Amino acid sequence: MTDHKRPSEGLLISPIRSGTVIDHITAGEALNVLRIIGITGTTAESVSVATNVSSGKMGRKDIVKIENRELIKEEMDRISLIAPDVSINIIRDFKVFSKNGVERPKFLIGVVKCPNPGCISNANEPIESRFEVLPNGLHCMYCDWLITTDITGHMI
């Protein structure tokens, strides 16, 4: 007689010894989160990505695990631009060392390129782009341009 067991329900991603687990990412944004923190696939980190997985809290969510890398606060706060409900867990010796939420920064300096070709930040001037973070997008402090979509597409 064959034993027909139901496959275990839940997410099957191997635990990591040390690094960062980014959980509760807005569904469909995991690859943008990787872009924000500079992981391109050509970097040395070992990365696990789960997209559109079931979540009791969010309905659907993405998860990213990065081995042997702990995010710094600036990276965590940048992630908040596209995933405001994210939780970031620092893992050491297979255990959660710290669990962090994110804060939306009030300003971004040198992080986003203004899409306005006439903006002074796009000229050969010795200045960095400056954006105010608003509830509905990013406001260029030089030319008043407002970025409301594809924020990661404008990141430098």
Side-chain angles (χ1 to χ4, degrees):
M1 180 175 208
T2 307
D3 185 14
H4 294 290
K5 291 184 178 179
R6 268 180 73 179
S8 63
E9 294 195 19
L11 192 58
L12 299 176
I13 296 179
S14 299
I16 58 175
R17 176 179 299 280
S18 63
T20 303
V21 176
I22 308 168
D23 196 3
H24 300 106
I25 301 169
T26 307
E29 295 289 350
L31 297 179
N32 286 329
V33 165
L34 291 173
R35 183 174 178 195
I36 286 172
I37 59 177
I39 295 177
T40 62
T42 60
T43 52
E45 298 90 355
S46 177
V47 177
S48 298
V49 178
T51 59
N52 289 309
V53 297
S54 182
S55 167
K57 178 180 172 184
M58 301 173 67
R60 308 299 281 164
K61 69 178 180 178
D62 291 358
I63 302 169
V64 171
K65 288 186 176 187
I66 309 161
E67 287 192 81
N68 300 319
R69 178 168 168 196
E70 293 184 7
L71 299 186
I72 60 173
K73 182 170 179 9
E74 181 181 74
E75 291 172 316
M76 293 181 199
D77 292 346
R78 285 184 191 177
I79 291 169
S80 74
L81 298 171
I82 61 167
D85 298 319
V86 74
S87 62
I88 298 176
N89 302 305
I90 303 301
I91 309 298
R92 294 184 184 161
D93 294 319
F94 294 105
K95 293 184 178 103
V96 176
F97 176 77
S98 68
K99 189 170 193 156
N100 306 287
V102 291
E103 295 177 38
R104 285 181 68 109
K106 293 183 184 341
F107 297 95
L108 296 172
I109 300 170
V111 174
V112 176
K113 179 176 172 46
C114 184
N116 177 3
C119 181
I120 192 166
S121 66
N122 290 322
N124 269 344
E125 297 294 331
I127 60 168
E128 292 184 291
S129 65
R130 294 179 184 268
F131 283 86
E132 179 182 18
V133 178
L134 303 173
N136 62 334
L138 304 178
H139 169 249
C140 179
M141 302 297 289
Y142 296 115
C143 72
D144 289 330
W145 196 279
L146 187 63
I147 301 174
T148 57
T149 59
D150 190 25
I151 290 172
T152 54
H154 294 86
M155 289 195 173
I156 298 170

